[in-house]
Amino acid sequence: MSLNLTIDLFNNVLRFTHCMLHPPGALTANAFTGTYGVNYGRIADNLPPPESVVTLLKAAKIKNTRIYDADHSVLTAFANSGIEIIVGLGNEFLKDIAANGERAVDWIKENIEPFVPKTRIVGIAVGNEILGSTGGQDLWEALVPAVKNMYLALERLQLANSIQLSSPHSEAVFATSFPPSSGAFREEIMPYMRPLLQFFSQVGSPFYINAYPFLAYISDPTHIDVNYALFKKNPGIFDTKTRLHYDNMFMAQIDAAYAALEKVGYTKMEVIVSETGWASKGDPNEVGATLKNARTYNYNLKKLLYKKKGTPYKPHTPIKAYIFALFNENLKPGPTSERNFGLFKPD
């Protein structure tokens, strides 16, 4: 069963405008100047064709999206739509591109150049959750060289001023995240995280985090108030170090990322949520994976993002997030929840 939100829910979605990358050391404009995006995952055999998805996104006034590859049928369908898109460089390409800069040039020539500017490709996500639970040591070592080679390739092809690089992380990169002020990266990933942050700081890229109160809640439903996870009325938590109060877990997760960044010297790097959402169906042990909770989470999150509100720790920096996901994906492996994060039904 999928989350059947109406198009009216999205009528006030803010525009995600073009980003501008500058040479290392220079200041850069924000990559995501709206506040609301949607992930367009496609691990399914019952989804509408990309042309129909463009029609849906335009009708719903959703003007920014992410995909997890560089599928040519999708990029062709998005041409002249005005929808801005971040494409993904799959984890399987990282080692090859890290070892050979020409491979990065070839990948961009094949997957980016033929489609711009008609298709508004504004970013490339280099890998997904590499330094968390997804990547092993070989991918950890490949990430930074791959990112640098991709950037050099964009510069060589004169695309670095319009396409920004990123690399989304899972919550598994943190050793601690509660209370928010205790946020800190795991020591074993720091030899790889530190140079990645240094490079992204130089070229003006933000820190992308996949933040899921849903996953935190189902891991410990006894001790976590579901209302705290769903943006509903609750006592909240108090961070004694910062003396800040949190009435929802989503903001606490973002501020934990800011705390971790500050501890390693990146006080000005913006945190953007690359994925967040709530499953509408799950296995018996996935407490809280219901249609009602999914509707509540996504609706309340959308309202929050529309207000352009900051977190308790960063009140003047509007929260920006991509919702996961546009559709249920019936071929995804794993627990039932993995296949039931969709905002819309396939029809």
Side-chain angles (χ1 to χ4, degrees):
M1 194 173 190
S2 64
L3 184 57
N4 186 18
L5 291 179
T6 63
I7 284 175
D8 288 341
L9 184 59
F10 302 101
N11 278 344
N12 291 315
V13 173
L14 300 177
R15 185 167 187 170
F16 170 20
T17 61
H18 272 299
C19 61
M20 291 293 292
L21 269 174
H22 295 272
L27 296 175
T28 183
N30 284 332
F32 185 2
T33 53
T35 56
Y36 190 98
V38 176
N39 289 279
Y40 172 22
R42 305 186 330 281
I43 306 175
D45 61 7
N46 61 348
L47 299 185
E51 293 79 10
S52 297
V53 173
V54 170
T55 301
L56 169 64
L57 292 172
K58 290 174 75 173
K61 293 183 167 54
I62 298 171
K63 295 185 178 179
N64 44 306
T65 188
R66 292 179 64 234
I67 58 174
Y68 292 86
D69 53 21
D71 185 274
H72 291 192
S73 66
V74 174
L75 297 180
T76 299
F78 275 64
N80 302 312
S81 67
I83 298 167
E84 299 186 338
I85 186 168
I86 291 179
V87 302
L89 175 72
N91 296 355
E92 67 271 21
F93 297 106
L94 291 192
K95 287 188 280 187
D96 195 24
I97 285 178
N100 189 339
E102 288 302 314
R103 300 287 182 151
V105 174
D106 292 344
W107 191 91
I108 293 170
K109 282 184 174 180
E110 179 183 350
N111 298 295
I112 305 296
E113 265 197 332
F115 304 99
V116 294
K118 288 184 178 180
T119 299
R120 301 181 71 175
I121 299 171
V122 296
I124 300 172
V126 181
N128 189 50
E129 300 189 339
I130 296 299
L131 299 181
S133 53
T134 302
Q137 186 82 23
D138 54 344
L139 287 182
W140 292 4
E141 293 171 355
L143 182 57
V144 171
V147 166
K148 289 183 176 180
N149 280 344
M150 288 293 287
Y151 184 80
L152 291 172
L154 287 172
E155 281 199 319
R156 180 167 150 186
L157 298 172
Q158 298 184 324
L159 292 169
N161 286 335
S162 59
I163 296 176
Q164 184 184 68
L165 296 182
S166 61
S167 188
H169 304 288
S170 74
E171 291 280 331
V173 297
F174 302 120
T176 56
S177 60
F178 181 85
S181 62
S182 73
F185 293 115
R186 288 163 44 201
E187 278 302 318
E188 64 266 34
I189 67 169
M190 284 312 298
Y192 314 98
M193 179 66 84
R194 196 179 296 276
L196 181 69
L197 295 175
Q198 181 180 22
F199 186 74
F200 278 160
S201 176
Q202 289 175 337
V203 300
S205 292
F207 181 84
Y208 276 91
I209 185 71
N210 296 340
Y212 284 95
F214 168 75
L215 296 178
Y217 173 71
I218 65 170
S219 71
D220 191 10
T222 303
H223 297 102
I224 296 175
D225 184 349
V226 69
N227 291 327
Y228 177 62
L230 292 173
F231 306 96
K232 296 175 73 175
K233 188 175 181 180
N234 70 95
I237 64 114
F238 183 71
D239 191 324
T240 55
K241 182 178 178 181
T242 58
R243 305 201 62 79
L244 294 172
H245 180 264
Y246 292 83
D247 60 13
N248 68 82
M249 187 188 296
F250 180 70
M251 286 189 179
Q253 289 181 329
I254 295 172
D255 277 353
Y258 276 121
L261 289 169
E262 286 197 2
K263 286 181 175 67
V264 292
Y266 294 95
T267 58
K268 295 182 179 180
M269 184 171 285
E270 183 180 15
V271 174
I272 295 179
V273 177
S274 37
E275 289 182 20
T276 189
W278 196 284
S280 59
K281 186 179 181 181
D283 294 321
N285 65 330
E286 295 183 298
V287 181
T290 67
L291 181 65
K292 181 180 179 181
N293 285 347
R295 188 186 302 275
T296 298
Y297 183 84
N298 285 293
Y299 180 72
N300 287 339
L301 175 63
K302 190 266 177 183
K303 284 200 303 182
L304 174 70
L305 295 174
Y306 179 64
K307 291 177 182 176
K308 295 193 280 188
K309 190 176 181 180
T311 64
Y313 190 64
K314 295 279 189 176
H316 303 301
T317 304
I319 301 168
K320 303 168 186 177
Y322 289 89
I323 312 306
F324 187 86
L326 193 58
F327 301 108
N328 284 348
E329 296 175 79
N330 66 349
L331 298 181
K332 288 193 77 172
T336 298
S337 61
E338 283 291 313
R339 295 176 287 282
N340 288 279
F341 275 89
L343 293 171
F344 291 97
K345 294 180 179 179
D347 63 5

